[in-house]
Amino acid sequence: MNVAEEIRRRLQAAFQPRELDVQDDSAAHRGHAGAPEEGQSHFSVRMRADSLAGQSRIQRHRAVHAALGSDLVARVHALALDLDG
């Protein structure tokens, strides 16, 4: 399973979002410091989930990082999050 699919699977399981879009932006960062040649390092996530309603931006980001788990977060160089309830 590639990293984008793993991100999507973990977020779907944790939040049951009504909208979830995971983009692999790695190709745009090829050659930059911290970007491995094989890619799968830079991602953008847009998610809308009722369980995030009423949470601050920091709380939403922490919830996503917890759902992804430290093992997956450690493999990702950059994760842009657009989250809302």
Side-chain angles (χ1 to χ4, degrees), residues 58-84:
I58 292 172
Q59 289 171 319
R60 293 189 304 260
H61 282 238
R62 286 180 178 159
V64 165
H65 280 255
L68 293 178
S70 60
D71 63 316
L72 180 55
V73 171
R75 290 186 282 151
V76 173
H77 180 72
L79 182 63
L81 299 175
D82 177 0
L83 308 169
D84 205 356

Side-chain angles (χ1 to χ4, degrees), residues 24-61:
D24 184 346
D25 302 325
S26 302
H29 300 277
R30 178 167 274 131
H32 294 179
E37 270 306 304
E38 64 274 6
Q40 296 196 70
S41 60
H42 292 68
F43 298 90
S44 298
V45 173
R46 177 178 162 81
M47 183 171 69
R48 303 296 179 256
D50 293 338
S51 58
L52 297 175
Q55 293 185 11
S56 71
R57 181 174 182 249
I58 292 172
Q59 289 171 319
R60 293 189 304 260
H61 282 238

